[in-house]
């Protein structure tokens, strides 16, 4: 009997050993990217010794769940390290000109002080360099992060890089990335599959250069035609925007099941109501701090965000704006920017909509706004980014109390600052509990673990050169540009241009591109069979003393008398049939020349070559307007900022688009 028992026990132990071995056999050893950290071997597998203690900790064990690893790391962190995780800084770069962080290489001495000193490990990059150089620069940052006490990898983010429009502090020039129409162009096509494919391609390009987080998409609704940020949205229709936002996030995050090892974390913005800006003035500037809801359409502006929640978006960024005319649960909304507003962040976003990701503030909400920030720079003096702060509704609070108010409202991470010491001081002063910081730090660390950054945050610089802006990606981007064009007018079916059309007069269009399409370029309109002209929606800059006011497009949407583009269109169209394409970063008023020209094509970012492919019939326009085009400024001024397509007599209605 004893002999049988021994045999049974031995068989059982052998079975357990086999099972144990099978488990490890099924585990794939991940690639461990490391520079300074040593390796630990256990059970025939390798792990990074990130805290350099010579033993395998739970957070270093990639077989553990991301949740267990994040909790273990959190227990090992000091208060100073936790506060550092809650900063989302800007990587200092070579050039002090322009937006902070712009330039052609990082300032590594300053970067090391932020990473090792302030313990910051999330940063936005604004470098505009070749992909392989960007990959190399980001790898160098990760080396600095690996040397820190706990070896926490960096999360590197970016504003959009794959489009045409470039505004300092809002977007980044493409610098080799595939170039697609603005998101308004995707809305014009109306195809979620295309948007998801774009997101997937941009995801591959971002990860190839070491960028792990996208500060996009904008789920804001462009219901106010004068607003300068409408070009980054999916238009003014809530249901259309909802579909586009969901597809965008699924592309960037590599599916609809949350963050994984191939994801770029998407940060949907700006929660919520940003598109209803008072008179279209933007809340980057003190004169534009209010969004208003005269029609009571606040819930309409929430709808696109539900698409983000369906895609399990990783991050949400609140708007700078103070919302006027909004009540939640029968209570007036506190008159502070959304980053300080507990009703919007904790009660509505976390409570009602169940968002469990990271809430990252927009940039510089804790910074003072005094002097030139309020009054504008003196005439003749260039406004400086150094003067910019956006603490709307919390201007009279101390900087420390702004941090406290934002954390208590629901902020997990502060954009555009590295002042982790202020958060430390607030905890030590009893204004915040360390347990509250733990909640935010856990959420941030969890995403880093889910992305696999603790195993390998480094990228192959040679691969970056072949992935980013590859021939395949550029061709798909060009095809999307063509599809997004909106044919608004086509008198006598002048488009597509007939084969007998050979001589063209061009305005702001490449002669070389025209010749490549078999056209002869002439110098005078009267010598041409047709004129092809490129213009942009008009704008004013009534606030040149303010940083963003000096760059953003504000004011009148119509072409005023004396406008150089208008004069050129009127003179040319009097001599030859004229085709005009208008870049619609805002809903331009075309009334002043619409009747005088043969064809009008709306675009949302298109190369000359792609444009001419459509005009000559090699491709066809598929777009429909993602917002209406008003007929006059009087009707724009009479419409409600929060209501979609509501001017009285639009020249072209929402959804309009002709076909060949």
């Amino acid at each position: 009997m004893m002999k049988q028992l021994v045999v049974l026990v031995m068989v059982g132990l052998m079975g357990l050993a086999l099972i144990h071995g099978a488990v490890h056999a099924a585990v794939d050893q991940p690639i461990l990217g490391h520079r300074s950290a040593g390796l630990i071997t256990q059970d025939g597998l390798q792990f990074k010794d990130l805290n350099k203690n010579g033993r395998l900790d739970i957070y270093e064990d990639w077989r553990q769940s991301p949740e267990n690893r994040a909790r273990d790391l959190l227990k090992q962190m000091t208060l100073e390290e936790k506060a550092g995780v809650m900063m989302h800084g800007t990587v200092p770069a070579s050039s002090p000109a322009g937006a902070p962080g712009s330039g052609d290489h990082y300032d590594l001495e300053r970067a090391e002080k932020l990473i090792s000193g302030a313990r910051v490990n999330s940063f936005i990059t604004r470098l505009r360099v070749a992909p392989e150089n960007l990959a190399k620069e980001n790898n160098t940052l990760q080396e600095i992060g690996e040397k820190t006490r706990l070896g926490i990898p960096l999360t590197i983010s970016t504003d959009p890089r794959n489009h045409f429009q470039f505004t300092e502090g809002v977007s980044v020039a493409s610098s080799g990335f595939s170039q697609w129409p603005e998101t308004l162009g995707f809305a014009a096509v109306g195809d979620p599959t295309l948007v998801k494919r774009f997101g997937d391609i941009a995801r591959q390009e971002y990860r190839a250069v070491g960028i792990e987080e996208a500060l996009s998409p904008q789920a804001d609704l462009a219901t106010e035609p004068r607003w300068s940020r409408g070009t980054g949205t999916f238009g003014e229709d809530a249901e259309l925007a909802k579909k586009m936002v969901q597809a965008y996030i699924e592309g960037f995050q590599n599916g609809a099941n949350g963050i994984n090892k191939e994801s770029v974390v998407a940060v949907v913005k700006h929660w919520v109501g940003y598109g209803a800006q008072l008179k279209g003035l933007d809340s980057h500037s003190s004169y534009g701090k209010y969004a208003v809801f005269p029609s009571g359409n606040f819930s309409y502006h929430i709808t696109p965000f539900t698409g983000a929640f369906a895609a399990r978006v990783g991050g949400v960024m609140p708007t700078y704006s103070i919302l006027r005319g909004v009540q939640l649960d029968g209570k007036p909304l506190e008159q502070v920017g959304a980053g300080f507003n507990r009703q919007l962040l904790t009660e509505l976003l976390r409570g009602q909509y169940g968002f469990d990701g990271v809430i990252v503030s927009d940039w510089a909400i804790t910074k003072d706004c005094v002097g030139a920030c309020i009054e504008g720079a003196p005439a003749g003096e260039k406004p400086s980014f150094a003067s910019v702060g956006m603490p709307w509704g919390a201007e009279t609070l101390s900087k420390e109390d702004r941090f406290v108010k934002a954390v208590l409202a629901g902020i997990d991470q502060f954009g555009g600052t590295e002042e982790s010491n202020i958060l430390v001081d607030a905890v030590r002063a009893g204004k915040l509990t360390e347990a509250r910081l733990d909640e935010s730090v856990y959420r941030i660390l969890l995403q880093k673990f889910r992305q696999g950054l603790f195993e390998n945050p480094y990228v192959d610089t040679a691969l970056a050169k072949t992935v980013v802006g590859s021939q395949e990606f550029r061709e798909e981007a060009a095809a999307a540009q063509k599809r997004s064009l909106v044919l608004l007018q086509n008198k006598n079916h002048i488009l597509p241009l007939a084969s007998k059309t050979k001589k063209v007069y061009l305005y702001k269009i490449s002669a070389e591109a025209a010749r490549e399409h078999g056209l002869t370029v002439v110098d005078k309109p009267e010598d041409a069979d047709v004129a092809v002209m490129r213009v942009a929606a008009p704008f004013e800059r009534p606030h040149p003393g303010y940083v963003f006011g000096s760059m953003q497009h504000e004011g009148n949407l119509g072409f005023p008398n004396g406008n150089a583009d208008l004069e050129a269109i009127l003179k040319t169209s009097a001599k030859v049939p004229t085709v005009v394409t208008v870049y619609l970063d805002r809903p331009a008023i075309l009334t002043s020349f619409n009747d005088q020209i043969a064809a009008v094509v709306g675009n949302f970012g298109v190369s000359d070559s792609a444009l001419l492919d459509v005009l000559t019939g090699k491709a066809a326009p598929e777009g429909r307007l993602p917002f209406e085009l008003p007929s006059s400024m009087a009707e724009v001024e009479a419409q409600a900022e929060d209501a979609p397509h509501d001017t009285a007599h639009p020249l072209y209605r929402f959804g309009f688009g002709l076909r060949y």
Side-chain angles (χ1 to χ4, degrees), residues 195-217:
V195 177
K196 186 174 180 178
R197 175 59 179 160
F198 157 71
D200 181 57
I201 288 173
R203 175 188 64 79
Q204 295 176 60
E205 293 185 323
Y206 280 23
R207 289 300 298 257
V209 298
I211 293 173
E212 299 92 14
E213 185 165 270
L215 300 178
S216 59

Side-chain angles (χ1 to χ4, degrees), residues 3 54 63 241 278 330 434 467 512 622:
K3 188 175 182 179
R63 297 169 300 182
L278 177 64
E434 190 168 349
V467 170
E512 181 181 355
E622 297 182 26

Side-chain angles (χ1 to χ4, degrees), residues 326-640:
V326 175
Q327 290 194 343
L328 292 179
D329 297 327
K331 299 176 183 177
L333 201 64
E334 184 183 4
Q335 292 299 281
V336 292
F340 300 108
N341 196 305
R342 183 175 176 83
Q343 292 164 284
L344 289 175
L345 302 186
T346 297
E347 295 176 17
L348 188 63
L349 179 58
R350 293 251 188 245
Q352 184 172 333
Y353 288 98
F355 176 67
D356 62 358
V358 175
I359 301 177
V360 54
S361 83
D362 211 334
W363 265 226
I365 70 166
T366 58
K367 190 176 177 182
D368 291 334
C369 181
V370 295
C373 179
I374 297 174
E375 301 163 1
E381 183 177 314
K382 185 178 180 180
S384 168
F385 275 96
S387 69
V388 174
M390 296 86 164
W392 311 143
E395 292 95 331
T396 61
L397 296 180
S398 68
K399 185 176 286 188
E400 181 175 287
D401 285 343
R402 288 182 200 135
F403 273 95
V404 171
K405 186 171 179 62
V407 170
L408 294 178
I411 291 292
D412 293 313
Q413 196 172 59
F414 290 87
T417 181
E418 301 92 20
E419 295 179 294
S420 57
N421 59 298
I422 295 179
L423 212 51
V424 171
D425 291 343
V427 173
R428 289 180 175 158
K431 295 180 179 180
L432 290 170
T433 66
E434 190 168 349
R436 171 60 190 88
L437 268 60
D438 287 351
E439 295 174 15
S440 293
V441 175
Y442 172 79
R443 294 184 186 110
I444 297 163
L445 293 176
L446 187 61
Q447 292 188 346
K448 291 177 185 279
F449 281 114
R450 286 175 171 166
Q451 285 184 291
L453 299 185
F454 280 84
E455 279 61 72
N456 188 17
Y458 300 101
V459 295
D460 183 337
T461 56
L463 188 62
K465 188 175 182 179
T466 61
V467 170
V468 179
S470 70
Q471 180 71 20
E472 177 190 358
F473 292 171
R474 286 189 285 112
E475 288 175 358
E476 291 191 56
Q481 293 174 32
K482 299 170 197 177
R483 292 182 66 188
S484 69
L485 295 180
V486 182
L487 182 60
L488 297 171
Q489 182 166 266
N490 194 17
K491 293 179 181 177
N492 300 317
H493 300 287
I494 189 172
L495 296 178
L497 297 176
S499 58
K500 63 183 179 181
T501 302
K502 292 298 181 184
K503 294 184 291 183
V504 295
Y505 172 76
L506 302 176
Y507 181 81
K508 297 183 179 180
I509 290 175
S510 162
E512 181 181 355
R515 294 187 189 104
E516 288 174 353
H517 284 75
L519 301 170
T520 299
V521 179
V522 298
D523 295 329
K524 299 177 182 179
E526 53 267 32
D527 294 335
D529 299 317
V530 67
V532 180
M533 310 183 73
R534 183 194 279 273
V535 300
F539 61 90
E540 298 171 315
R541 288 204 171 115
H543 301 97
Y546 297 80
V547 170
F548 287 95
S550 68
M551 298 185 294
Q552 292 178 326
H553 295 181
E554 299 180 341
N556 202 306
L557 295 162
F559 288 82
N561 291 333
N563 175 276
D565 287 340
L566 175 62
E567 295 300 315
I569 290 170
L570 294 179
K571 288 179 181 179
T572 301
S573 61
K575 299 174 181 178
V576 64
T578 299
V579 177
V580 175
T581 183
V582 186
Y583 176 61
L584 296 172
D585 68 321
R586 300 193 302 161
I589 297 171
L590 309 180
T591 310
S592 56
F593 63 78
N594 189 69
D595 291 342
Q596 281 86 352
I597 59 178
V600 183
V601 179
N603 81 76
F604 305 97
V606 64
S607 70
D608 287 341
S609 180
L611 172 67
L612 289 165
D613 273 355
V614 172
L615 299 187
T616 59
K618 292 181 179 179
E622 297 182 26
R624 299 186 185 277
L625 283 176
F627 44 44
E628 66 181 14
L629 299 188
S631 58
S632 72
M633 272 305 293
E635 293 199 354
V636 170
E637 291 164 357
Q639 57 86 47

Side-chain angles (χ1 to χ4, degrees), residues 52-189:
K52 299 89 177 170
N53 67 357
R55 66 174 184 269
L56 182 61
D57 291 87
I58 292 173
Y59 89 91
E60 298 166 335
D61 188 346
W62 43 261
R63 297 169 300 182
Q64 295 280 341
S65 70
E67 293 79 5
N68 285 345
R69 299 177 74 184
R71 284 189 287 267
D72 180 66
L73 178 54
L74 189 60
K75 287 189 294 185
Q76 299 192 37
M77 297 176 73
T78 65
L79 174 60
E80 289 78 6
E81 287 165 338
K82 293 173 184 177
V85 171
M86 292 179 66
M87 303 298 113
H88 196 124
T90 302
V91 188
S94 55
S95 173
S102 60
D104 58 12
H105 64 272
Y106 295 139
D107 183 330
L108 295 177
E109 183 177 350
R110 290 164 60 203
E112 185 158 12
K113 290 179 181 178
L114 297 178
I115 297 167
S116 301
R119 282 86 165 182
V120 179
N121 45 56
S122 292
F123 291 94
I124 186 174
T125 176
R126 291 198 174 101
L127 288 193
R128 303 191 296 273
V129 295
E132 61 270 30
N133 293 339
L134 183 55
K136 181 180 178 181
E137 294 280 329
N138 287 338
N139 278 347
T140 304
L141 290 183
Q142 295 292 0
E143 289 181 22
I144 299 172
E146 189 177 334
K147 291 177 183 177
T148 59
R149 188 180 76 89
L150 295 170
I152 299 174
L154 273 59
T155 294
I156 299 172
S157 69
T158 185
D159 283 322
R161 288 176 175 262
N162 291 82
H163 306 291
F164 282 80
Q165 191 178 71
F166 165 53
T167 301
E168 287 273 10
V170 173
S171 57
V172 184
S174 64
S175 299
F177 287 69
S178 58
Q179 197 165 33
W180 300 70
E182 310 298 337
T183 47
L184 279 174
F186 288 121
V189 178

Side-chain angles (χ1 to χ4, degrees), residues 165 170 182-185 187 218-236 270 274-277 280 282 552-553 583-587 604 626-627:
Q165 191 178 71
V170 173
E182 310 298 337
T183 47
L184 279 174
Q218 279 184 246
D220 313 304
L221 290 175
T223 54
E224 167 48 58
R226 292 166 287 187
W227 184 44
S228 61
R229 297 294 303 277
T231 187
T233 74
F234 292 103
E236 62 179 332
H270 304 82
Y274 187 26
Q277 288 300 117
D282 189 70
Q552 292 178 326
H553 295 181
Y583 176 61
L584 296 172
D585 68 321
R586 300 193 302 161
F604 305 97
F627 44 44

